[in-house]
């Protein structure tokens, strides 16, 4: 099976007068900026943006580099509801949280490289912090389980950025102790 930016080629090698046409099962769209810009466009990531600012207020740390640099990363982005479920009930609660703790949690959501849906397999992924979390694939459903989680987070549909992919997840992944 062949994929283009995560979309499966469903009809290959269609002849045309001026070339060859390959049909895919999705619409290719250009990236809408870097990872930080793509996340900023989605109102479901208000708490995530606040947590990133709190954890990396200088803008020079690993998280800022991952979000704005040129190296490819995949971000598993907890939604606002995921943060609420993890006990961060407001942006004010995030702003009162320990910076180091938030940084450790957020770096647990970032892996180096572009992972399109067809790239996921059952196993583990290593985060930029050097920890791992479990990946489960059941048909087209991808789930992630952190070392400190009792249940799995469901991975939603990605948004493409210049320097990677952003996937919404419905649970904050918690690293082990």
């Amino acid at each position: 099976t062949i994929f283009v930016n995560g979309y499966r080629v469903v009809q290959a090698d269609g002849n045309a007068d001026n070339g060859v046409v390959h049909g895919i099962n999705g619409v290719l769209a250009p990236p809408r900026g870097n990872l930080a810009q793509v996340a900023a466009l989605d109102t479901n990531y208000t708490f995530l943006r606040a947590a990133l600012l709190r954890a990396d207020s200088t803008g020079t740390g690993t998280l800022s580099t991952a979000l704005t640099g040129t190296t490819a990363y995949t971000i598993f982005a907890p939604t606002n509801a995921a943060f609420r479920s993890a006990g961060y009930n407001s942006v004010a609660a995030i702003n009162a949280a320990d910076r180091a703790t938030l940084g450790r949690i957020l770096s647990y959501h970032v892996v180096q490289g572009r992972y399109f849906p067809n790239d996921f397999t059952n196993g583990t992924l290593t985060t930029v912090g050097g920890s791992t979390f479990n990946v489960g694939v059941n048909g087209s459903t991808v789930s992630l389980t952190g070392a400190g989680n009792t249940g799995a987070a469901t991975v939603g549909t990605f948004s493409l950025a210049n320097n990677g992919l952003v996937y919404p997840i419905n649970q904050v992944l918690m690293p082990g102790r």
Side-chain angles (χ1 to χ4, degrees):
T1 305
I2 298 172
F3 292 86
V4 177
N5 283 6
Y7 297 113
R8 186 172 41 82
V9 173
V10 293
Q11 183 178 0
D13 300 329
N15 291 322
D17 289 343
N18 61 346
V20 178
V21 176
H22 303 292
I24 60 174
N25 67 341
V27 177
L28 293 176
R32 300 184 302 169
N34 63 37
L35 289 163
Q37 293 164 329
V38 168
L41 293 171
D42 193 328
T43 57
N44 286 313
Y45 300 139
T46 306
F47 286 32
L48 174 62
R49 287 192 306 278
L52 287 165
L53 287 172
R54 175 75 176 152
D56 190 17
S57 61
T58 64
T60 59
T62 302
L63 296 172
S64 291
T65 300
L67 294 174
T68 60
T70 57
T71 301
Y73 290 96
T74 299
I75 310 291
F76 298 101
T79 62
N80 294 342
F83 273 98
R84 285 185 192 100
S85 293
Y88 298 98
N89 294 319
S90 65
V91 170
I94 290 169
N95 288 333
D98 179 71
R99 289 179 195 272
T101 300
L102 282 176
R104 197 163 74 86
I105 291 170
L106 293 176
S107 68
Y108 197 59
H109 291 77
V110 181
V111 296
Q112 191 167 358
R114 284 183 178 89
Y115 285 88
F116 288 100
N118 55 290
D119 295 324
F120 293 112
T121 59
N122 290 315
T124 60
L125 283 176
T126 302
T127 70
V128 295
S131 300
T132 60
F133 57 77
N134 292 319
V135 178
V137 179
N138 185 3
S140 62
T141 302
V142 177
S143 60
L144 311 174
T145 307
N149 294 96
T150 56
T154 302
V155 177
T157 302
F158 71 89
S159 295
L160 184 64
N162 293 334
N163 58 337
L165 298 148
V166 179
Y167 286 92
I169 58 173
N170 64 349
Q171 187 178 128
V172 174
L173 299 176
M174 297 303 223
R177 301 222 180 258

